[in-house]
Amino acid sequence: MTTEPTGPTGPAEPTGPTGPAEPTGRTGPAEPTGPTQEPAPKQDTTRSWLRDHSELGVCALLLAIGALVLTDALTMSVDIAQRGPIGPRTVPFVVGSALLLVAVLLAVDVLRGGRGEAEGGEDVDLDEPADWRTVLLLSGVFLAAAVLIGPLGFPIAGALLFWGSAYALGSRHHDRDPLIAAVLSLATYFLFDNLLGVPLPGGPLMGVI
Amino acid sequence: MDSLNSLIDGFGTALTPANLLWAALGVLLGTAIGVLPGIGPAMAVALLLPVTYGLDPTGAFIMFAGIYCGAMFGGSTTSILLNTPGESAAVVAAIEGNPMAKAGRGAQALAAAAIGHFAGGMIGTILLVVLAPTVASLAVGIGAPDYFAIMVLAFIAVTSVLGASRIRGLASLLIGLTIGLVGLDQMTGQQRLTFGSLQLADGVDVVIVAVGLFAIGEALWVAAHLRRTTGEAIPVGRPWLGRDDLRRTWKPWLRGPLIGFPFGAIPAGGAEIPTFLSYVTEKRLSKHRGQFGKGAIEGVAGPESAASASAAGTLVSMLTLGLPTTAVAAVMLAAFQQYGIQPGPLLFEREPELVWGLIASLFVGMVLLLTLNLPLAPVWAKLLRIPRPYLYAGILFFAAVGAYAVGGEALDLVVLLVIGLIGLGMRRYGLPVLPAVIGVILGPAAEQQLRRALQISDGGVTGLVNTPFSVTVYAIVVLILAWPLVYRPAVVRRRGGRKESDGTGTVSGG
């Protein structure tokens, strides 16, 4: 296992060299760098402990969301006339508090040895270590498509999304892949825009054709 | 027979050439996407939702009914020919269907599954026609406290009955409720969790949440663990059944719905339990008990029929109470909301053309399914050999199309990715996805009913329990919550009797 399987929602990174550190709830990819270079035996046990308990990152994330919901409810201006005995703040208060409570209960469960079971599937091989590089690449490609769909239009951005994703997933047919991507994207564009009546942006390409 | 007349009107709507075309297109698309390995019915339905956006509501739902029928059926082909069931309901079909396919009887297994699906769906939909208007007319008088109670029941049922760990189910539900909070408060217009963003003030669209959690989350999760050697699909000819097989299958086909439909109609969730029950029943009743596990055709016919009838059963609570109990029903409810239509007791009064057109289309869809899929089975089997990079790139591609088609905003794609990453994390740490989707869909409605109920009672909490209906529902909630306290010691005792040293082991959930 080379990369730490913490998932992008809550990387568990040691905050200090001593003791079982509470994982931080930062969002973002797991960082392989960090204060973990010296191979001190104590640090090693800390790391394996954290790897076993990476689910605590979920607790941290729930805690963070709970705090966010509660803060938002507290800072809400309630001078707007409140209709009925329950205003707009009550339910956020309940949800936020419940999030904090569940975060604590889940942490207790994890520390007592409970584990969430990773989901299986037709193409899922759980015996292999997680390949977070592919996930990162796919996310990047997807974000790029989101940025490009405005200026370049759907046919080009969609083709890039498909080609990039297929490449990230390990397809290396450099002749076939772009062709499939272009045909799929154009066909989808015409199907939705012309036949099904769902508008998609054509972009500069459609101005040329 | 009032509902019979309405149903005939519904057929009048469904059988116009244009609507028939939409239904056929829906069945084909639904099966094609549902057959693809790795795509369960919920993801198939979510991915195909944007296809219906350009149509008027009636046409859209008729097409949607076709997609629904096709997607529910597609999964069983995958599990019989690949032995890798995409969802829990298809597990049983793989137990007997795959050995049959390996023994060269794949055509018979597919035929037993297809006709089982048809029989279960037909009987289930007939029961839906009989029951739904009655339930709706009973539910028409219920008020805000009753609705709130039903929604609490839905929340408790999806977090407690399904899945292995309650605390993880609850965490998932709360994530969904939080996403549901984003936007303007429905009653006061107060901004909540919008952080000053105009786009977020509209709230996060349910379709984006469903596509993000079901499609993007799944694609990313598979990408992280992609199996490098995929199973070989067994080639198959045109499905057919001999007289001997027919003699063995007609009873399971008819028994399946009796087990499947009731489980679908109550919020116990999904086809997992009824398919398994049907399998056990068929095994017990079969004259060929020794064949079970090695490819007994009864073990395909019964459970497939039960699964199909259970899907029709979920429509009873979905259409009459607005209560989704499975992932597919949740996506369907999202589709209704997309058109500004709220399923519930009044749906049958307000939108008779739409709802009866939809039900009639289910019948039409079943017939189309049988006539199209038996000859097309070899084609569907070819779809199983699609290279995995193309398959998952395609899922990401169509998810992007769907999310973009909702509002035409690039920011929606970013929101979609973020929700997809949440879905990935949930799969990694065993948080079930369904409670989150239910939370997003029902959360805002539940809040509104709660506030209405308390407004009527002027803030008194007794206003929530002042009807017999709501008291009954809360009693069921308490029963569900108390059930493990009664049930778990019994399981431990039984297990302890068999194996002395085996204690309670690790605590798997709160």
Side-chain angles (χ1 to χ4, degrees):
Chain A
M1 206 178 263
T2 47
T3 41
E4 166 65 34
T6 46
T9 48
E13 202 190 342
T15 48
T18 51
E22 182 69 20
T24 54
R26 262 193 290 144
T27 47
E31 290 160 53
T33 57
T36 51
Q37 289 306 317
E38 325 104 88
K42 191 177 181 194
Q43 194 130 44
D44 222 39
T45 54
T46 310
R47 280 190 71 188
S48 73
W49 187 90
L50 276 174
R51 192 175 298 147
D52 285 349
H53 294 77
S54 64
E55 203 175 348
L56 287 175
V58 178
C59 306
L61 191 75
L62 290 174
L63 216 58
I65 299 176
L68 188 72
V69 174
L70 282 180
T71 321
D72 186 74
L74 279 171
T75 53
M76 223 174 259
S77 56
V78 277
D79 44 285
I80 302 168
Q82 174 169 317
R83 292 220 325 247
I86 298 194
R89 293 167 70 170
T90 315
V91 173
F93 268 131
V94 174
V95 172
S97 318
L99 274 165
L100 298 186
L101 182 71
V102 166
V104 173
L105 288 177
L106 185 60
V108 171
D109 182 54
V110 171
L111 292 176
R112 280 168 61 185
R115 287 288 173 276
E117 205 179 310
E119 199 180 275
E122 282 170 61
D123 289 328
V124 173
D125 186 1
L126 288 175
D127 300 330
E128 291 286 311
D131 176 11
W132 296 116
R133 200 177 139 266
T134 305
V135 175
L136 209 66
L137 260 173
L138 286 176
S139 306
V141 168
F142 201 87
L143 269 185
V147 172
L148 292 176
I149 196 166
L152 293 186
F154 178 80
I156 297 177
L160 288 177
L161 171 63
F162 184 86
W163 186 16
S165 306
Y167 181 87
L169 286 160
S171 181
R172 291 293 180 276
H173 299 277
H174 294 299
D175 46 348
R176 200 170 70 178
D177 292 357
L179 199 68
I180 294 177
V183 170
L184 178 74
S185 196
L186 275 174
T188 310
Y189 174 75
F190 282 115
L191 180 72
F192 275 78
D193 210 56
N194 297 348
L195 283 174
L196 293 166
V198 181
L200 292 171
L205 187 66
M206 290 303 118
V208 174
I209 293 177
Chain B
M1 279 299 272
D2 202 26
S3 53
L4 197 63
N5 284 333
S6 314
L7 183 64
I8 291 167
D9 288 346
F11 273 112
T13 314
L15 290 176
T16 60
N19 285 340
L20 206 56
L21 181 74
W22 294 130
L25 196 62
V27 167
L28 279 178
L29 279 173
T31 319
I33 302 294
V35 163
L36 290 173
I39 301 191
M43 200 213 282
V45 174
L47 280 177
L48 286 171
L49 209 50
V51 173
T52 64
Y53 281 174
L55 307 178
D56 65 293
T58 310
F61 276 98
I62 283 172
M63 186 167 178
F64 200 79
I67 292 174
Y68 179 75
C69 293
M72 297 303 285
F73 169 77
S76 60
T77 308
T78 324
S79 55
I80 288 171
L81 297 182
L82 262 182
N83 194 27
T84 42
E87 28 121 29
S88 46
V91 169
V92 178
I95 299 177
E96 298 301 330
N98 192 249
M100 280 182 74
K102 278 190 184 138
R105 290 181 21 98
Q108 284 83 351
L110 283 186
I115 301 172
H117 233 84
F118 175 76
M122 278 297 186
I123 297 172
T125 313
I126 289 170
L127 290 173
L128 169 72
V129 170
V130 175
L131 271 179
T134 319
V135 177
S137 63
L138 285 178
V140 111
I142 70 175
D146 308 306
Y147 274 117
F148 183 68
I150 292 175
M151 287 167 188
V152 170
L153 173 66
F155 291 151
I156 299 298
V158 291
T159 52
S160 294
V161 179
L162 311 169
S165 163
R166 277 187 178 192
I167 194 77
R168 287 173 181 81
L170 201 58
S172 167
L173 174 70
L174 287 169
I175 291 174
L177 288 175
T178 307
I179 297 174
L181 280 178
V182 175
L184 296 180
D185 171 36
Q186 285 179 14
M187 287 179 123
T188 62
Q190 172 73 47
Q191 293 204 7
R192 295 194 296 198
L193 293 171
T194 58
F195 313 106
S197 156
L198 259 181
Q199 274 102 341
L200 283 180
D202 287 340
V204 183
D205 197 283
V206 182
V207 173
I208 291 178
V209 178
V211 172
L213 286 178
F214 287 127
I216 303 275
E218 179 75 17
L220 292 178
W221 172 236
V222 173
H225 287 277
L226 189 59
R227 203 184 285 279
R228 297 296 164 190
T229 50
T230 44
E232 271 298 299
I234 302 161
V236 72
R238 198 194 153 133
W240 60 278
L241 282 178
R243 189 175 291 171
D244 193 41
D245 287 322
L246 270 177
R247 208 172 293 135
R248 286 173 64 179
T249 45
W250 71 273
K251 277 184 196 157
W253 283 333
L254 295 181
R255 271 194 294 261
L258 299 181
I259 300 168
F261 188 83
F263 273 94
I266 58 170
E272 199 175 327
I273 301 169
T275 46
F276 186 71
L277 278 181
S278 165
Y279 181 75
V280 174
T281 311
E282 295 311 332
K283 191 173 176 180
R284 190 160 298 168
L285 293 175
S286 173
K287 282 181 207 144
H288 307 84
R289 211 178 294 178
Q291 270 188 29
F292 271 77
K294 290 173 225 141
I297 197 164
E298 295 95 331
V300 178
E304 277 304 302
S305 172
S308 182
S310 138
T314 56
L315 289 183
V316 175
S317 48
M318 208 282 284
L319 291 176
T320 60
L321 299 172
L323 190 69
T325 52
T326 60
V328 182
V331 179
M332 211 162 183
L333 188 63
F336 272 100
Q337 290 180 344
Q338 203 66 27
Y339 285 98
I341 298 162
Q342 184 61 48
L346 295 174
L347 182 71
F348 283 80
E349 273 176 37
R350 282 192 195 146
E351 306 274 355
E353 195 199 358
L354 188 148
V355 73
W356 287 107
L358 173 73
I359 293 175
S361 300
L362 289 175
F363 287 110
V364 176
M366 297 288 169
V367 175
L368 285 173
L369 196 65
L370 202 62
T371 49
L372 288 177
N373 277 343
L374 288 184
L376 280 177
V379 179
W380 300 140
K382 284 212 181 72
L383 278 179
L384 296 176
R385 289 195 218 135
I386 182 173
R388 294 308 181 262
Y390 294 155
L391 173 62
Y392 291 100
I395 292 175
L396 290 174
F397 175 84
F398 281 107
V401 175
Y404 194 81
V406 170
E409 293 198 36
L411 185 80
D412 281 345
L413 293 180
V414 180
V415 175
L416 180 73
L417 180 63
V418 171
I419 292 172
L421 289 172
I422 294 175
L424 167 72
M426 290 172 77
R427 284 177 173 80
R428 165 66 182 84
Y429 289 109
L431 301 188
V433 175
L434 180 60
V437 177
I438 301 269
V440 178
I441 292 174
L442 287 186
E447 179 182 8
Q448 215 178 357
Q449 300 293 356
L450 171 72
R451 282 159 79 170
R452 245 183 235 156
L454 289 178
Q455 219 166 321
I456 296 164
S457 73
D458 214 19
V461 187
T462 48
L464 293 179
V465 286
N466 58 3
T467 60
F469 185 88
S470 57
V471 172
T472 317
V473 175
Y474 284 121
I476 298 171
V477 168
V478 171
L479 258 175
I480 293 175
L481 286 177
W483 177 244
L485 302 178
V486 188
Y487 181 69
R488 204 170 277 174
V491 172
V492 172
R493 221 178 297 136
R494 229 188 315 164
R495 210 195 280 153
R498 229 185 301 150
K499 218 202 239 169
E500 285 292 306
S501 60
D502 192 59
T504 44
T506 51
V507 182
S508 64

